[in-house]
Each structure stands twice: as structure tokens, then as C-alpha cells.
Amino acid sequence: MVRLSDARMSGNQLWRLHPALSPESYIGGPLALVRNGDLITLDVAARTINLRCFRSRTGTAPRRMKQPETRFERGYGWMFTRHIKQANEGCDFDFLETGFRRAG
């Protein structure tokens, strides 16, 4: 079983392979394009993930990534959307970083 995620989940210790995609879908990352019926191919040896987006039966233009409109004016949603780091950076708030390094 392969699970692709933008790292906003828990319980992935049971999965054999879990590539974390970045940037996350909320800000227009690659998972935002995926729809039912799309084909995702994974080549572990080549370290690649490819997505083939199929046009709808209505013949509309291919999907494009775009950042969603601002939904939060204040509170946790506002703080999260402006300060959370991406999966490849640890999914933590940027304001929690310090110059402190553990000796060792």
C-alpha cells in the first residue's frame, strides 16, 4: 500500500511507503490537482511520482494549480495558514524556531 500525503495526517506508521508532498494542496501543491480517475505512477528506484490528469468528459481545459482565497481573518486558522511550514521543513510553526542548538 502506498500513501501519498502533504503530511497533514497521523497514523502512518502502518504504511510501507509514505512520500510527503510539498507544498501542500491548500496552497496549490500537487495533491490539489488529483481527482478520481487520475493515474499516479510511482518509481521508487528513480525517486519519481508522476500524475496524469485526465480531461473531463465535457472537454474542459486541463486543471491548473491556484492558491485558494483567504478564509480566515483571525484565530488558529489565520495563524496556521500564515505560519505553518511545509512537510519537507517539519510541519511546524515558523515562529517556534530559535537559534538554540543542542550540544552533542
Side-chain angles (χ1 to χ4, degrees):
M1 172 65 70
V2 176
R3 184 172 189 170
L4 304 175
S5 173
D6 54 10
R8 306 297 185 234
M9 66 173 189
S10 63
N12 63 340
Q13 71 273 9
L14 300 176
W15 302 100
R16 191 168 295 276
L17 179 63
H18 171 236
L21 306 177
S22 185
E24 67 176 276
S25 57
Y26 179 77
I27 61 170
L31 283 181
L33 292 175
V34 178
R35 300 292 183 268
N36 285 342
D38 290 345
L39 180 64
I40 299 174
T41 58
L42 176 70
D43 185 334
V44 176
R47 301 176 57 97
T48 61
I49 300 173
N50 295 296
L51 168 65
R52 182 169 178 200
C53 297
F54 293 97
R55 289 177 178 243
S56 71
R57 291 190 178 117
T58 61
T60 58
R63 291 174 229 140
R64 304 264 187 252
M65 286 190 259
K66 64 179 184 175
Q67 189 167 355
E69 294 179 24
T70 302
R71 295 183 358 199
F72 305 101
E73 298 294 326
R74 56 187 297 257
Y76 184 81
W78 177 89
M79 184 173 58
F80 184 91
T81 57
R82 283 166 179 75
H83 295 285
I84 199 71
K85 298 179 84 173
Q86 295 301 303
N88 61 319
E89 300 172 312
C91 300
D92 207 353
F93 289 110
D94 59 6
F95 56 77
L96 295 177
E97 292 181 339
T98 68
F100 177 75
R101 301 270 186 221
R102 247 183 217 180

